[in-house]
Amino acid sequence: MIPVFNAGQYLEQALVSVIQQAPGPEVMEIVVVDDASNDIDVEGLVRRVGGDRVAYFRQPANVGSLWNFHTCLTRARGLYVHLLHADDRVLPGYYAAMEMQLMKHPEAAACFSRYRYVNGEGELMSVAQPEASSEGILLDWLERIATSNTVQYSAITVRREIYERLGGFFGVTYGEDWEMWVRIASKYPIAYVPEPLAEYRIHEESISGAKLQSAQNVKDLAWVMRTIQHYLPQALRKRVWKASTAFCSRAALRHANSFWRRDGNKQAARRQLFQAFLIHFDREICREAFRLYRDMMFNIR
């Protein structure tokens, strides 16, 4: 299921990456769910690239990312659901690996792979750290995923019945996936493939890019971390809260540094710093923040 809104410059790459490895329509459906895009003729592109192999559905009006994801989930007919955002891609072997692990481990609610970060041009930036050295069920996964989100939409496939039991994405539009992965992990085992089989694209036009500019990303993550607490055993809550807030605060500091040193954007840097202090504060964060404030004051980049 491929949700799209104004990602016309990337959609063809996403579609091609799927079609090149997709089994026949009797085994796997491919559907583009368009949230009333106005940048290109999405249906025309789908027909040109996918022909009759790819189905197309357009929302009558823009409904926002969360409802568009909900539409994807409710329209999906297969045993397994992969939500591939239109600006991301899968690498050869992704679907075969997901199916193999989910069939091998019927107790697993989902399976995800390692993934690569690429920029707007599709160039490799980095590769996510492996969660395990070999494929199979992850150990101690609930605490690990509750501490920091190390899963991307493009890399995870979930059994449709799990979404039907637990519900869809809600609450916020940055970090809503983190809440979902923890919700699932709190009730079911998760399988993993250490080979990088998906790509997550980082670019300024994405929802994530806009929220980073305003620092709404940190506010959304604060909501996610509070929500996650309800999914954890009492014995884990305090430890996870301390670790997750520290992780998010340091991530905000990295964004602040990037906004200033790469873009010279003091306003965005200050917004990230302010939110970083609101969710967590320690000596290391204080030192890094002081250094960044000093450099911005004297225009040192």
Side-chain angles (χ1 to χ4, degrees), residues 244-260:
S244 62
T245 54
F247 175 85
C248 289
S249 182
R250 290 185 174 88
L253 275 175
R254 289 195 297 273
H255 291 312
N257 269 288
S258 179
F259 276 127
W260 170 242

Side-chain angles (χ1 to χ4, degrees), residues 89-94 97-98 113-115 193 195-199:
R89 300 183 295 204
V90 284
L91 298 172
Y94 173 82
M98 295 299 104
S113 75
R114 199 175 172 195
Y115 51 89
V193 176
E195 181 183 357
L197 293 174
E199 292 182 333

Side-chain angles (χ1 to χ4, degrees), residues 157-208:
T157 293
V158 180
R159 296 185 193 273
R160 180 165 57 87
E161 64 179 313
I162 300 301
Y163 282 131
E164 292 172 347
R165 290 175 191 170
L166 302 185
F169 300 88
F170 76 102
V172 292
T173 55
Y174 188 100
E176 79 288 344
D177 56 330
W178 187 14
E179 183 276 333
M180 174 63 79
W181 314 146
V182 178
R183 199 188 330 161
I184 295 173
S186 70
K187 296 183 178 296
Y188 304 98
I190 304 296
Y192 176 70
V193 176
E195 181 183 357
L197 293 174
E199 292 182 333
Y200 171 70
R201 193 187 301 266
I202 298 175
H203 60 98
E204 293 181 357
E205 292 81 15
S206 67
I207 293 175
S208 300

Side-chain angles (χ1 to χ4, degrees), residues 72-73 94 157 185 269 275:
C72 287
L73 298 182
Y94 173 82
T157 293
Q275 293 300 323

